[in-house]
């Protein structure tokens, strides 16, 4: 299990100051996992059976999420990305969006609220989510073939995902992004088809190198399709020109045949981008993480759930701020996937929040 930190340790900075780590990286992006549950069982993420679900009592309530988000926004976080597990499985998802979307930073500007989803409940929920203030969507789609989808996700729900993408495409939410994990002998022959599908839906396809984050710990480097292989394959169809100005974004992007359409690659394994990372993660059970691959977590539950009457609102907020600063302060310069001693985190991606 990851090493939890129960109390805030010394870390420089006071409430309202930016969250800067010891390597000068300013943290502006908080990924909020709303649940570890999911309607799919993607092989690279979750085991088919035997998942150890988070205890219901440990899952953050809507009020607790909003409280943490307000403190983070006051400290300069400008983007919240809702994820999971599958965020749309959370019964209060529209209310989560409504309450987070109105949070403002110290300059009075509203935060940007995005979501990563498998898309399955989008047709019914999207109008309410947009009305509640959702600004951007990433939808995961690894294959366009029904039999492959069933094998890969262990559920026969490709049609539901495609309906979700159609709903997103018809909505005004832009930019719309589709995420695909490229996998050897699974979907590596569909890379061009996936990009074309995204273009047909006014979306950008972003390929993700498969990372060692599956709950079953079955990741095998030799099975990974690399950034170079992805680019080689796409170059057989389009002329690729790099898009400058990546900043802290995980995806490198290329214009297709001069643009305006683009494709992205997130090469966490073969071309890590840790030097510009501005992301923090909050798990559904209230653990702050400074990296996907971290084995240390910073537990917010004791700060949030103090015995009644023992701490006022200001003290609780100060404790959350202290934990955010400790978490940022403890961030390493980079992940160590490529080191021989790399230890995969105990949690799978569904419980960390992608
Ligand atoms: N259920 C939602 C979805 O699938 O979009 C949100 C959560 S999911 C964990 C977020 C993203 O992580 C998805 O795009 C998924 O493809 C990606 N992901 C999960 N496990 C991964 C792995 N081992 N390597 C690379 N990406 C992974
Ligand atoms: Fe569920 Fe997303 Fe993980 Fe697939 S990648 S099992 S959709 S959480």
């Amino acid at each position: 299990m990851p090493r939890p930190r129960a109390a805030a340790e010394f870390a420089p900075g006071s409430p309202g100051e930016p969250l800067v780590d010891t390597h000068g990286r300013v943290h502006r992006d908080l990924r909020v996992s709303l649940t570890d549950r999911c309607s799919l069982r993607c092989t690279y993420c979750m085991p088919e059976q035997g998942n150890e679900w988070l205890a219901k009592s440990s899952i953050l309530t809507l009020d607790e999420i909003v409280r943490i988000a307000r403190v983070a926004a006051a400290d300069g976080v400008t983007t919240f990305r809702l994820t999971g597990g599958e965020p749309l499985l959370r019964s209060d998802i529209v209310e989560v969006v409504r309450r987070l979307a109105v949070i403002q930073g110290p300059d009075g500007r509203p935060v940007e609220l995005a979501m990563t989803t498998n898309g399955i409940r989008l047709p019914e929920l999207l109008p309410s989510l947009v009305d509640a203030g959702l600004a951007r969507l990433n939808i995961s789609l690894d294959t366009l073939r029904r039999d492959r989808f069933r094998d890969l996700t262990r559920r026969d729900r490709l049609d539901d995902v495609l309906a979700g993408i159609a709903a997103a495409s018809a909505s005004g939410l832009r930019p719309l992004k589709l995420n695909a994990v490229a996998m050897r002998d699974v979907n590596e022959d569909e890379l061009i088809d996936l990009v074309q599908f995204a273009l047909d839906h006014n979306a950008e396809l972003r390929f993700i190198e498969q990372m060692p984050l599956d709950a079953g710990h079955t990741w095998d480097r030799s099975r990974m399709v690399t950034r170079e292989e992805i680019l080689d394959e796409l170059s057989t169809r389009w002329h690729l020109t790099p898009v400058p100005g990546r900043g802290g974004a995980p995806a490198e992007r290329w214009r297709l045949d001069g643009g305006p359409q683009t494709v992205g690659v997130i090469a966490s394994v073969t071309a890590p981008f840790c030097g510009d990372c501005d992301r923090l993660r909050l798990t559904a059970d209230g653990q702050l993480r400074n990296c996907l691959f971290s084995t240390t977590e910073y537990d917010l539950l004791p700060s949030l759930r103090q015995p009644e009457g023992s701490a006022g609102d200001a003290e609780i907020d100060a404790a959350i701020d202290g934990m955010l600063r400790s978490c940022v302060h403890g961030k390493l310069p980079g992940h160590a996937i490529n080191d021989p001693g790399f230890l995969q985190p105990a949690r799978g991606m569904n419980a960390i929040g992608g």
Side-chain angles (χ1 to χ4, degrees):
M1 280 300 288
R3 197 155 59 88
R5 301 280 170 94
E9 294 162 7
F10 169 76
S14 324
E17 290 181 3
L19 297 167
V20 190
D21 73 8
T22 57
H23 307 278
R25 295 170 294 194
V26 183
H27 288 71
R28 302 211 179 278
D29 183 328
L30 180 66
R31 311 278 162 119
V32 182
S33 175
L34 297 176
T35 174
D36 58 334
R37 306 263 167 169
C38 192
S39 38
L40 302 179
R41 292 287 181 279
C42 303
T43 51
Y44 50 73
C45 181
M46 292 173 80
E48 183 161 22
Q49 286 169 343
N51 237 297
E52 284 185 27
W53 304 111
L54 298 175
K56 262 201 173 138
S57 59
S58 71
I59 302 289
L60 293 176
T61 64
L62 172 57
D63 284 342
E64 289 170 338
I65 293 169
V66 170
R67 173 162 225 153
I68 297 164
R70 281 209 187 107
V71 175
D75 291 344
V77 168
T78 54
T79 303
F80 295 109
R81 174 170 295 281
L82 305 178
T83 179
E86 175 45 41
L88 296 181
L89 287 187
R90 189 148 166 150
S91 57
D92 57 359
I93 183 63
V94 175
E95 210 42 36
V96 172
V97 169
R98 196 178 304 287
R99 299 249 330 253
L100 293 183
V102 294
I103 293 177
Q104 297 177 343
D107 57 2
R109 282 203 289 202
V111 296
E112 185 173 51
L113 195 58
M115 181 186 290
T116 302
T117 169
N118 65 26
I120 287 179
R121 294 194 68 210
L122 276 180
E124 56 181 299
L125 287 171
L126 193 53
S128 313
L129 293 169
V130 173
D131 176 66
L134 185 70
R136 285 197 288 121
L137 268 176
N138 286 17
I139 307 175
S140 301
L141 176 73
D142 300 319
T143 177
L144 295 163
R145 303 195 191 172
R146 189 168 170 185
D147 54 335
R148 285 186 181 176
F149 186 93
R150 203 178 40 224
D151 290 347
L152 181 60
T153 67
R154 299 157 174 143
R155 299 288 186 271
D156 189 10
R157 304 203 64 176
L158 177 61
D159 287 348
D160 296 320
V161 173
L162 296 181
I165 294 171
S169 179
S171 79
L173 294 193
R174 294 290 183 276
L176 174 62
K177 295 176 184 166
L178 304 185
N179 292 352
V181 179
M183 285 163 283
R184 180 95 51 226
D185 299 333
V186 177
N187 63 356
E188 63 181 327
D189 58 346
E190 278 188 83
L191 305 189
I192 289 174
D193 291 350
L194 284 164
V195 174
Q196 191 57 56
F197 176 86
L199 299 181
D200 295 344
H201 288 79
N202 291 315
E204 178 186 87
L205 204 291
R206 297 166 7 135
F207 291 107
I208 309 176
E209 284 184 345
Q210 189 174 351
M211 298 178 278
L213 287 170
D214 57 313
H217 291 226
T218 60
W219 183 78
D220 175 353
R221 191 185 191 99
S222 65
R223 311 270 314 152
M224 218 193 80
V225 178
T226 65
R227 167 188 182 277
E228 285 315 310
E229 290 173 294
I230 294 165
L231 294 178
D232 283 351
E233 172 69 5
L234 300 184
S235 297
T236 65
R237 170 78 164 74
W238 293 280
H239 178 66
L240 304 179
T241 332
V243 176
R246 175 182 180 185
E252 278 176 273
R253 298 168 67 232
W254 287 265
R255 282 188 234 291
L256 300 165
D257 289 341
Q261 292 161 317
T262 51
V263 69
V265 178
I266 301 177
S268 314
V269 181
T270 67
F273 36 86
C274 306
D276 290 316
C277 179
D278 67 351
R279 288 171 286 287
L280 288 174
R281 291 185 154 77
L282 174 64
T283 67
D285 59 343
Q287 309 297 306
L288 281 170
R289 300 176 59 92
N290 54 32
C291 176
L292 271 178
F293 300 98
S294 171
T295 51
T296 303
E297 296 184 341
Y298 298 76
D299 189 358
L300 283 172
L301 288 184
S303 306
L304 287 162
R305 298 181 181 177
Q306 304 192 40
E308 195 145 345
S310 66
D313 283 347
E315 277 172 272
I316 295 174
D317 286 355
I320 295 168
D321 176 79
M323 200 59 89
L324 280 164
R325 287 179 198 285
S326 293
C327 179
V328 168
H329 189 69
K331 185 155 169 159
L332 298 174
H335 67 57
I337 303 178
N338 298 309
D339 293 356
F342 172 70
L343 266 186
Q344 182 173 336
R347 289 181 191 255
M349 189 70 140
N350 67 303
I352 293 173

